[in-house]
Amino acid sequence: EKEVKYGQITELPRQDDAMKKWRSNRFGQFIHWGLYAIPGGVWKGKTYEYAAEFLKSSAGISTATWDSLQYQFNPIKFNAMAWAKMAKAMGVKYATITTKHHEGFCLWPSEYTDFDIENTPYGKDLLGEFIEAYNAEGIDVSLYYSVLDWHHPDWRYKLNSEEDKEAFERLKIFTKNQLLELLDRYPTVKGLWFDGTWDQCWKDNGQFSYELEKKLKEKHPGLVVNSRMRADEYGSRHFDSNGVLMGDYESGYERRLPNPWDIEVTKNDWECCMTIPENQWGYHKDWTLTHIKTANELIEMLVQCTSQNGNFLLNFGPTGEGDFREEEVKLAKEIGDWMDDNSSAIYNCGYAGLKKQGWGYFTQNNDSETTINMVVFNKPINGKYRVKLNKGSVIKKAYLLSKPDKALDLEEISNGEYFIEAKKVKTKDPFVIIIELENKDSKKFHQKALT
Ligand SMILES: C[C@@H]1N[C@@H](C(=O)NCc2ccccc2)[C@H](O)[C@@H]1O
C-alpha cells in the first residue's frame, strides 16, 4: 500500500439521493456537438474515415483555419424541445452533452474565451436552451468537458520547461474558472463528465484534480463526477495507486463493455459510453464506412450494463444544422418502442447476484428482493430456460412480462435450480420473463461450489 494523499475523495459506492438517482437512471443519451459537425469528416472534398471530431488532426488543419469554422456555426434546425422529446420517447433518463470538446469551442457564452457560441451567427446560449428543454422533459443533464484544449495557447501535452509549467498553470486556472462558471450558470446539472485527461500534463497534476473535485463538489452538493477526471499524485488515473476508484463511478468503458460474466465490475458504479457507428462521436457525413449498430445490438448492451450495475450512455452526433440523421431518429424510435414495454427491467435495476445464463441477462429491481427479471435474447431450442438461483430460493411463479396472468410451467432441477418453460413466445424482439420468489432472495449469500 502506498500513502496516497490525493486519491479518492468520496467514500464509494455513494448512497446519497443524487447518486441513487444517477444509478436508477441506467440509460442516457450522449450528445457530441461542436464545430466538427460542420465539415462532418470531409475536408476539401476528401472523406477522412477517422472519428469526425478529430478531423482537425486527421486532415492536418491549422488551428486558425479550424477555428474560423466558428463564423459558420448557425444551426438553423436546432430545436431543443424536439431533441428533448425524441430523447424522452427513446426512454433515456439522463443526457450528457459536450460543453467543450478537444477543439476548445464552447457551446455556452463563456466569459473566459471568445471561442464560444456568443461569437457565432447563432449567438444564443445553446447549452442553456438544451438544459432547459431536457429538464422540462424530466431528463437529468450532465456536462461533458474536455480538459484537452487544442485552441487554448497554454495547453501543453507535457511540461518540459519552466515556460510549459507557467503556461499550464494558466490553463489550470482557465479550466477551474470555466467549470465553476458552468455550475454557476446551470445549477440544475447533475454531473460533470471529464475527458481529455490522459496526457502527461494532467498526470503530473494529481493534486490539482483532487482539489478541483473537492471544490466543485463543495460548490454543487450531490455533483456526480466520472473517474476519468482524476489522477492521484503518482499519475495513476481512474483508480489511485492502491487501486481505489476515484470520482464517483468508473468511466473507462468507452466503445467497449466488460465480459458479461464478470462480477468484479458489479462492485462499483460504472458507465459505458457507446457510438452507433464503430467510432464516430461527432457527426460524420458518411455512415457507410463501418457497421452501424442495430437497435437489438444496442438494447442488448443496455441490458448487459444494467445486469452488471452499469449505466449505458448512447451517443448521438447532431449535424452542423442542428438536426439528427435519419438512422439516429429511427434507432431512437425502435429503442423507445422496446423501452415502452420493458423498461421495468432497466430503470432502478441492477445486478441480481446470479450467474449469467446463455438465454440472456438477469436484472433485479433495487427495491425488490423477491422478483427477478430475465431479459431473453437467445431462445433455447427446447423452450426451457435454465435458472440457477441462490441456494434455498423457491420460485412462487414465473410469467412473461407481456402476459402476467399466465403462469409458466416450472421444473425443479435441484435446490434453487429450475427450468422455466416458455415454448410459445412469438415476438422477434428481446423479451422479459419475471420470476417471483416465495422467500427473500438472499442476494448476498453465494453458495461456493464444493469442488
Ligand atoms: C468520449 C470520447 N473521447 C474522445 C476520444 O476518443 N479521445 C481519445 C483521443 C484523443 C486524441 C486523439 C485520439 C484519440 C472522443 O472524441 C469522445 O469524446
Side-chain angles (χ1 to χ4, degrees):
E1 283 263 310
K2 266 182 166 177
E3 198 234 342
V4 175
K5 278 177 65 183
Y6 302 111
Q8 184 184 79
I9 290 170
T10 318
E11 177 84 22
L12 302 180
R14 281 175 44 178
Q15 296 304 346
D16 56 286
D17 291 346
M19 197 69 205
K20 283 183 177 171
K21 177 62 169 62
W22 182 92
R23 193 173 291 140
S24 74
N25 285 345
R26 285 295 175 234
F27 186 25
Q29 180 189 43
F30 215 164
I31 297 276
H32 271 72
W33 204 20
L35 300 181
Y36 42 78
I38 297 170
V42 178
W43 195 258
K44 295 200 169 99
K46 182 175 179 338
T47 297
Y48 291 80
E49 302 201 3
Y50 201 57
E53 70 280 3
F54 290 105
L55 182 64
K56 179 176 187 283
S57 42
S58 40
I61 301 163
S62 72
T63 298
T65 301
W66 184 264
D67 293 359
S68 66
L69 288 168
Q70 137 176 53
Y71 304 111
Q72 296 175 43
F73 192 72
N74 189 18
I76 48 173
K77 292 181 183 169
F78 176 53
N79 177 334
M81 283 191 293
W83 284 23
K85 288 190 183 329
M86 184 183 93
K88 176 85 175 180
M90 176 164 62
V92 298
K93 291 286 189 186
Y94 71 107
T96 301
I97 182 168
T98 51
T99 61
K100 181 186 83 160
H101 201 259
H102 309 334
E103 64 180 3
F105 175 70
C106 300
L107 290 185
W108 82 99
S110 173
E111 63 179 276
Y112 300 99
T113 178
D114 291 337
F115 192 43
D116 67 0
I117 194 72
E118 203 168 9
N119 298 282
T120 67
Y122 187 77
K124 294 173 288 181
D125 177 4
L126 185 153
L127 179 62
E129 293 171 330
F130 177 92
I131 294 167
E132 188 179 351
Y134 273 66
N135 285 173
E137 289 296 326
I139 299 172
D140 293 341
V141 173
S142 160
L143 303 181
Y144 166 111
Y145 182 89
S146 175
V147 171
L148 165 59
D149 187 324
W150 293 329
H151 169 83
H152 200 290
D154 290 329
W155 171 262
R156 297 290 185 282
Y157 289 97
K158 284 182 73 170
L159 310 178
N160 293 322
S161 66
E162 275 317 302
E163 194 278 333
D164 285 346
K165 288 191 180 121
E166 283 160 25
F168 205 72
E169 286 307 305
R170 293 191 295 269
L171 194 282
K172 283 155 61 176
I173 293 164
F174 166 78
T175 300
K176 185 168 79 174
N177 286 338
Q178 284 208 315
L179 289 162
L180 292 169
E181 177 182 49
L182 283 167
L183 295 181
D184 263 336
R185 292 182 60 88
Y186 310 110
T188 66
V189 299
K190 302 296 181 195
L192 289 172
W193 206 103
F194 286 82
D195 200 12
T197 56
W198 42 77
D199 288 314
Q200 197 56 44
C201 58
W202 195 254
K203 291 198 274 192
D204 291 348
N205 277 278
Q207 180 179 346
F208 175 75
S209 72
Y210 175 91
E211 287 160 358
L212 181 60
E213 180 185 346
K214 262 171 84 82
K215 178 132 182 92
L216 295 169
K217 285 184 166 178
E218 280 155 15
K219 176 184 182 56
H220 201 94
L223 187 71
V224 177
V225 166
N226 65 338
S227 60
R228 200 177 292 208
M229 170 190 192
R230 294 295 320 282
D232 72 5
E233 64 264 43
Y234 304 99
S236 182
R237 294 180 61 237
H238 293 270
F239 293 84
D240 77 8
S241 301
N242 294 323
V244 176
L245 183 63
M246 298 184 280
D248 299 307
Y249 62 93
E250 188 186 352
S251 66
Y253 290 100
E254 177 173 322
R255 293 190 293 111
R256 66 186 175 94
L257 281 150
N259 177 322
W261 287 269
D262 174 9
I263 55 174
E264 264 315 291
V265 73
T266 67
K267 291 183 171 53
N268 286 313
D269 289 301
W270 59 279
E271 178 192 69
C272 163
C273 57
M274 187 55 70
T275 51
I276 294 173
E278 195 47 47
N279 182 14
Q280 294 294 343
W281 297 91
Y283 170 73
H284 196 292
K285 285 176 178 160
D286 186 351
W287 264 26
T288 65
L289 299 170
T290 68
H291 172 63
I292 303 303
K293 297 175 189 76
T294 63
N296 274 351
E297 285 176 279
L298 296 167
I299 289 165
E300 181 159 4
M301 292 179 185
L302 167 62
V303 171
Q304 181 190 332
C305 288
T306 303
S307 77
Q308 293 176 282
N309 277 345
N311 282 10
F312 185 60
L313 185 62
L314 180 60
N315 184 71
F316 288 71
T319 69
E321 294 188 307
D323 61 354
F324 293 104
R325 59 189 330 133
E326 61 189 25
E327 299 95 325
E328 290 175 316
V329 173
K330 181 167 174 284
L331 279 168
K333 172 82 172 62
E334 290 168 338
I335 295 169
D337 288 348
W338 188 83
M339 287 295 279
D340 286 347
D341 299 332
N342 300 285
S343 61
S344 60
I346 302 293
Y347 299 145
N348 197 29
C349 290
Y351 176 51
L354 301 172
K355 190 172 173 300
K356 174 174 167 21
Q357 303 287 331
W359 42 260
Y361 307 83
F362 287 112
T363 74
Q364 185 158 11
N365 188 292
N366 295 323
D367 299 332
S368 162
E369 298 259 315
T370 54
T371 53
I372 296 169
N373 305 303
M374 296 167 56
V375 191
V376 177
F377 289 84
N378 316 300
K379 294 181 193 173
I381 47 172
N382 63 0
K384 293 186 175 185
Y385 296 77
R386 188 180 203 109
V387 292
K388 191 173 172 49
L389 308 170
N390 293 316
K391 289 286 179 220
S393 295
V394 174
I395 297 182
K396 177 163 65 179
K397 65 175 177 177
Y399 52 88
L400 292 172
L401 176 58
S402 58
K403 291 197 182 68
D405 303 335
K406 189 174 177 331
L408 299 174
D409 289 342
L410 303 172
E411 179 191 333
E412 187 164 2
I413 303 170
S414 70
N415 181 342
E417 192 162 4
Y418 294 80
F419 277 121
I420 297 173
E421 194 171 310
K423 283 193 170 0
K424 306 185 195 68
V425 181
K426 297 263 180 309
T427 179
K428 289 269 170 294
D429 297 328
F431 63 91
V432 177
I433 293 172
I434 305 279
I435 296 175
E436 284 189 13
L437 298 175
E438 286 286 4
N439 47 354
K440 269 167 72 81
D441 167 33
S442 48
K443 258 199 238 181
K444 309 289 170 276
F445 171 71
H446 285 288
Q447 170 72 28
K448 280 261 173 293
L450 300 171
T451 52

